[in-house]
Amino acid sequence: MEEKPVEKTEEEINLNRNFIYNFIEEDIAPGGQFEGKTVHTRFPPEPNGYLHIGHCKAICIDFGMAEKFNGLCNLRMDDTNPAKEDTEYVDAIKQDIHWLGFDWGDRFYYGSDYFEKDYEFAVELIKKGLAYVCELTPEQFKEYRGDAQTPARSPYRDRPIEENLALFEKMKNGEIEEGKMTLRAKIDLASGNFNMRDPVIYRIRHINHHRQGTKWCIYPMYDFAHPIQDALEGITHSLCSLEFEDHRPLYNWVVSNVSIPYYKPRQIEFARLGIDHTVMSKRKLRQLVEEKYVSGWDDPRMPTLCGLRRRGYTAKSIRNFCDSIGVAKSANTIEFAELERCLRDDLNTTAERTMAVLHPVKLTVTNYPEGKSETFEVENNPLDPSQGTHTITFSRNLWIEEDDFLEEPIPKYKRMYPGNEVRLKGTYLVTCTGCVKDESGKVVEVLCEYDPESRGGNPADGRKVKGATIHWVDAETCVDAEVRLYENLFNDPNPDGPDKNFLEALNPESLIVLNGCKVERSMVDVAKEFDQRENRTGTNAPTFQFMRVGFFCLDNKDSSADHLVFNRSVLLRDGFKK
């Protein structure tokens, strides 16, 4: 009898689609290059800005692969370029990675920890005749670069070893002005891979380093320092984005020609994450901040993790997003709506429900006794009864959304209009009887009568109600709030495209601020509790579903019990195209 194939779990199916997982599995299998070794990866961000959603994909791959194989993952700050690096970014990077749920244990390093070793290995290459000091200017570099048919050239390539050593020592001692000399690896000026045409491995920078101060005035290039750092840390798999694919021969050349007593790490490249209506360049994100197009790195319109967190994105939703898009070898662009879907799926099961009115108009229940008030219990989450209920108050004077009333209804309009009966969420059935207008003709008050026999929204006579269920808040007990409505920062789906000025694609309506919104009084208690929380900006503020409106969170920076500020995280409807 033929055996039925064992069905694979969704996780196993996703792993089979992950070529990195397959490569690592082959490497540690019997006969593989890392047989018997512990899988060891690393995440090496440059501390020159805040992490964004693109970095998150790399984080999930680096730490995730280590987790899948019961291995290790280091966190290393690539601080070999001191121009824009700062301890502020170091602290933010560590905070964001912890927020995502990953940890590096005691394996935290700086690229600058290895400056002495980098220098020693550079000297070693010079002594082997594999590196030389070059005096070409930037303009001459371009001129002598060559093309596919013409080799590059340098008149300094055949300097004697002793002269190279002496000049490199002078570079190190600060005796050479910036830009005057570089140290180049001697590889192959005719290589079809231009990264191998005697690349620069050291340059002079007379600038203060955020950790080393002015101790060094020569700094290793990333392509030289990175493979050395990987090898010294015992990294087995150097996972990086696709733009480093052409740099892999140089990576291998470095670890093969310096005397590191360790097996070579394997570099594997994957496609970077692209999302529409977004820019991922740190340089451009910094420009948005410095030129005040946004309020800061944590502006909720930014793709930074701190900005997404402030907007209400959860670590789970972002990790689920990274899992859902998988690991690709070719570049692709994901719809921002897919990220929103992942957040919506998470919040729909976890966020408590509350009522809030963003564009309030007064609703008077004319036959409800003046001065009377009663309470009702409303479920916190219909999808999760364990979340319980909360108490709301009902009185003669309420607030509803202004678009929940039309004096002259349009076809299929099922909300409030004269003569129509609707449910007020969790309380009574009411029938609209008319409205009051100001001198300009604007509706300032809607009038209705309630059915006392319909407590809980169920009429005693069992009649069917064709009208909608309307959300509302009690005018006697509600509190005011500021609500910020966020849209895409850019109107253009590809603002970072060739021959485009991304600033011209900025969406002038990416932020709309509403004042005088009405929310349940219980939100004050929520804000008071959050006010006591340490490291507010490093955590998620409480998030709620404003019934019929969307998911909103307290702003983790500006909100307080005295001034409630809510950020719209995501709408209730799903705009993602399957």
Side-chain angles (χ1 to χ4, degrees):
M1 187 174 178
E2 185 179 353
E3 292 186 9
K4 292 183 178 180
V6 178
E7 292 188 5
K8 295 184 177 180
T9 65
E10 184 175 351
E11 181 182 24
E12 289 173 328
I13 293 173
N14 288 335
L15 286 175
N16 285 338
R17 295 172 181 163
N18 186 333
F19 68 91
I20 295 178
Y21 180 91
N22 294 336
F23 283 159
I24 296 176
E25 197 171 44
E26 292 172 3
D27 288 343
I28 63 175
Q33 61 177 313
F34 299 127
E35 178 185 356
K37 303 291 185 183
T38 298
V39 171
H40 203 155
T41 62
R42 83 292 168 269
F43 176 61
E46 183 178 2
N48 64 346
Y50 286 74
L51 296 181
H52 55 63
I53 187 67
H55 295 113
C56 189
K57 178 179 179 181
I59 293 169
C60 289
I61 290 174
D62 288 326
F63 283 92
M65 286 297 104
E67 286 184 354
K68 296 296 184 187
F69 290 96
N70 296 315
L72 304 171
C73 184
N74 295 358
L75 174 60
R76 182 200 313 139
M77 297 295 158
D78 172 34
D79 59 345
T80 56
N81 180 10
K84 293 286 186 178
E85 295 163 359
D86 195 277
T87 53
E88 171 193 352
Y89 303 130
V90 173
D91 294 339
I93 289 169
K94 294 165 76 173
Q95 177 176 267
D96 284 343
I97 296 174
H98 272 145
W99 174 71
L100 283 171
F102 297 110
D103 187 68
W104 51 89
D106 60 355
R107 296 176 305 282
F108 174 70
Y109 306 98
Y110 287 93
S112 56
D113 291 337
Y114 304 97
F115 280 173
E116 290 285 354
K117 282 292 185 182
D118 294 332
Y119 177 76
E120 290 174 12
F121 288 130
V123 170
E124 178 186 349
L125 290 179
I126 295 174
K127 290 179 177 179
K128 289 179 176 179
L130 295 176
Y132 61 96
V133 173
C134 182
E135 297 180 53
L136 291 179
T137 65
E139 293 74 20
Q140 288 172 326
F141 257 106
K142 293 179 182 178
E143 181 183 350
Y144 295 169
R145 179 182 172 90
D147 54 34
Q149 289 75 39
T150 308
R153 56 195 174 93
S154 171
Y156 307 101
R157 198 171 195 261
D158 296 322
R159 279 189 196 273
I161 289 176
E162 291 304 319
E163 184 179 340
N164 282 317
L165 289 171
L167 288 174
F168 192 50
E169 181 71 14
K170 285 186 175 183
M171 290 170 60
K172 173 179 176 290
N173 294 336
E175 299 173 31
I176 308 296
E177 65 183 85
E178 188 169 319
K180 182 73 173 177
M181 295 181 181
T182 60
L183 183 69
R184 298 176 67 176
K186 185 185 290 188
I187 306 178
D188 181 3
L189 289 176
S191 174
N193 183 340
F194 278 63
N195 295 296
M196 301 295 282
R197 291 191 173 190
D198 290 10
V200 173
I201 58 176
Y202 260 93
R203 78 286 200 200
I204 301 170
R205 294 302 307 273
H206 294 290
I207 189 171
N208 187 71
H209 188 277
H210 75 106
R211 292 184 69 244
Q212 302 284 346
T214 56
K215 179 180 178 180
W216 294 90
C217 60
I218 55 171
Y219 292 93
M221 301 298 289
Y222 180 85
D223 280 341
F224 179 67
H226 185 64
I228 289 173
Q229 294 159 9
D230 280 352
L232 288 172
E233 291 178 13
I235 302 304
T236 58
H237 295 86
S238 180
L239 311 177
C240 56
S241 47
L242 203 57
E243 67 264 32
F244 291 102
E245 184 173 34
D246 289 342
H247 296 246
R248 193 196 316 153
L250 178 54
Y251 182 101
N252 292 335
W253 183 91
V254 171
V255 294
S256 297
N257 286 285
V258 296
S259 55
I260 297 175
Y262 184 67
Y263 48 84
K264 298 178 186 176
R266 178 180 182 180
Q267 178 175 301
I268 304 174
E269 307 85 13
F270 56 87
R272 298 178 72 173
L273 173 61
I275 301 181
D276 63 6
H277 297 90
T278 307
V279 297
M280 298 287 196
S281 161
K282 277 188 187 177
R283 177 182 60 81
K284 293 179 179 179
L285 294 177
R286 183 182 294 107
Q287 185 177 352
L288 291 172
V289 173
E290 292 177 349
E291 297 180 10
K292 300 190 183 307
Y293 291 101
V294 294
S295 62
W297 287 96
D298 63 348
D299 188 299
R301 293 166 292 180
M302 292 279 275
T304 53
L305 293 186
C306 56
L308 291 169
R309 180 167 60 242
R310 187 175 177 188
R311 188 163 172 172
Y313 277 81
T314 62
K316 180 180 179 181
S317 67
I318 292 176
R319 290 183 63 165
N320 286 345
F321 170 71
C322 291
D323 287 342
S324 72
I325 61 177
V327 181
K329 189 67 176 176
S330 56
N332 61 341
T333 300
I334 308 298
E335 291 184 52
F336 191 85
E338 165 66 356
L339 179 58
E340 291 182 319
R341 182 190 68 79
C342 291
L343 177 62
R344 187 181 295 107
D345 288 349
D346 184 21
L347 295 182
N348 202 39
T349 59
T350 59
E352 291 188 2
R353 275 53 170 171
T354 188
M355 289 191 285
V357 177
L358 305 192
H359 303 89
V361 64
K362 185 178 180 182
L363 176 67
T364 302
V365 187
T366 56
N367 64 333
Y368 193 86
E370 292 190 23
K372 180 181 177 181
S373 178
E374 56 186 311
T375 60
F376 293 81
E377 292 297 314
V378 178
E379 74 276 6
N380 285 328
N381 190 331
L383 301 180
D384 183 7
S386 68
Q387 293 189 33
T389 63
H390 70 276
T391 303
I392 58 174
T393 59
F394 180 87
S395 68
R396 176 186 174 91
N397 301 309
L398 312 172
W399 295 104
I400 62 169
E401 295 284 355
E402 63 179 8
D403 63 1
D404 278 341
F405 171 78
L406 282 180
E407 189 174 11
E408 296 182 5
I410 58 177
K412 297 184 180 181
Y413 186 79
K414 295 184 179 181
R415 288 172 271 179
M416 299 193 79
Y417 57 86
N420 194 40
E421 185 177 47
V422 300
R423 284 184 174 85
L424 293 182
K425 173 65 180 177
T427 57
Y428 292 107
L429 298 177
V430 297
T431 300
C432 181
T433 57
C435 65
V436 178
K437 301 179 182 178
D438 62 14
E439 294 179 354
S440 67
K442 180 182 178 181
V443 174
V444 294
E445 183 180 7
V446 178
L447 306 175
C448 70
E449 294 182 351
Y450 85 115
D451 177 2
E453 302 300 319
S454 64
R455 183 178 171 88
N458 299 309
D461 60 8
R463 66 184 182 277
K464 293 185 177 180
V465 180
K466 296 182 180 180
T469 298
I470 305 297
H471 70 278
W472 55 277
V473 292
D474 180 18
E476 305 300 329
T477 60
C478 72
V479 292
D480 285 351
E482 175 185 324
V483 173
R484 299 169 180 175
L485 306 179
Y486 293 99
E487 297 289 350
N488 289 326
L489 185 57
F490 297 96
N491 282 321
D492 190 334
N494 183 24
D496 213 9
D499 303 322
K500 289 184 180 180
N501 179 351
F502 75 108
L503 295 177
E504 294 178 355
L506 284 167
N507 176 10
E509 297 183 352
S510 60
L511 169 60
I512 297 175
V513 179
L514 305 177
N515 291 297
C517 302
K518 312 295 181 181
V519 298
E520 294 182 25
R521 176 165 291 277
S522 59
M523 294 297 100
V524 175
D525 295 330
V526 171
K528 285 181 179 178
E529 183 177 344
F530 185 65
D531 286 350
Q532 304 303 313
R533 190 180 298 184
E534 295 182 9
N535 188 27
R536 284 170 43 127
T537 59
T539 61
N540 278 98
T543 299
F544 298 87
Q545 184 193 107
F546 288 178
M547 295 180 190
R548 301 177 62 227
V549 179
F551 292 98
F552 293 75
C553 69
L554 276 176
D555 186 273
N556 65 10
K557 189 173 184 179
D558 297 339
S559 186
S560 69
D562 297 326
H563 179 64
L564 298 176
V565 179
F566 288 92
N567 298 329
R568 183 170 68 190
S569 306
V570 65
L571 292 168
L572 296 179
R573 66 178 181 272
D574 189 346
F576 179 59
K577 299 173 184 177
K578 305 298 181 187

